[in-house]
Amino acid sequence: MHGPGHPDDIRKVCERCLTWIKPSFLWMMYRCGWGAKADQETVLAVEITRDGFEWALRHACLSSYVRGVHPDHATWQRQVKQAPARVQWDPERDLHLRPLAYRSLQLGLCGEAVRRYADEWTVGISDVTPLAHEIHALVSGGDLDSAARLLPQERPYPAADELLANLRT
């Protein structure tokens, strides 16, 4: 028997649908409601290899059609059906989960990328639900400085231009 987040469990869930890597803690809090939304009560931080993340970016296409990026809608449709990864850019969030002026990458995995994610890329899994609840309590109580100090450290990803060339909107 193994605990939640074991690669076998990840693979079983991911094989049935697109699974998303959300590198932004606050965006994830927006998505899961600080771990309070139904069926999203457990928040896991999954650490993956840099090679794996960059493989997914190299094999990704945008999750929606963008005029000027794609030659035409039909070409984009073919790309999105064949790609093992998809990228969308969503507004980053502040401590109150309000949208900010800049966007964060969300990386959707399917097919081969899911297998690699579960079998090769995942190097660590930790339950950050208590941290999410603690930060949320501080935000709710108006102590934004203490909440901000508890946030996981995040930095812009140092991706080479060619890695994101086809993924910019």
Side-chain angles (χ1 to χ4, degrees), residues 68-166:
V69 173
H70 304 101
D72 53 60
H73 196 268
T75 301
W76 168 77
Q77 284 181 313
R78 280 191 303 278
Q79 288 174 348
V80 82
K81 284 180 183 176
Q82 295 172 351
R86 298 175 190 159
V87 164
Q88 66 186 44
W89 297 92
D90 293 318
E92 182 53 77
R93 301 291 165 158
D94 67 11
L95 280 166
H96 292 289
L97 307 182
R98 296 176 299 218
L100 296 171
Y102 59 95
R103 295 182 174 266
S104 291
L105 176 137
Q106 315 298 323
L107 183 59
L109 307 177
C110 59
E112 179 183 3
V114 169
R115 184 193 58 74
R116 289 173 179 255
Y117 173 68
D119 294 341
E120 300 170 17
W121 303 343
T122 300
V123 295
I125 300 172
S126 55
D127 184 350
V128 294
T129 309
L131 176 63
H133 292 167
E134 183 178 3
I135 294 172
H136 183 230
L138 290 167
V139 170
S140 296
D143 191 353
L144 300 184
D145 289 337
S146 294
R149 281 192 294 276
L150 291 178
L151 289 172
Q153 186 179 31
E154 297 177 350
R155 297 175 308 279
Y157 190 79
D161 284 341
E162 68 271 4
L163 197 57
L164 297 176
N166 295 325

Side-chain angles (χ1 to χ4, degrees), residues 5-15 46 114 117-118 122 125:
H6 187 274
D8 288 343
D9 294 335
I10 293 170
R11 189 179 315 98
K12 287 175 191 169
V13 170
C14 297
E15 285 174 348
V46 180
V114 169
Y117 173 68
T122 300
I125 300 172

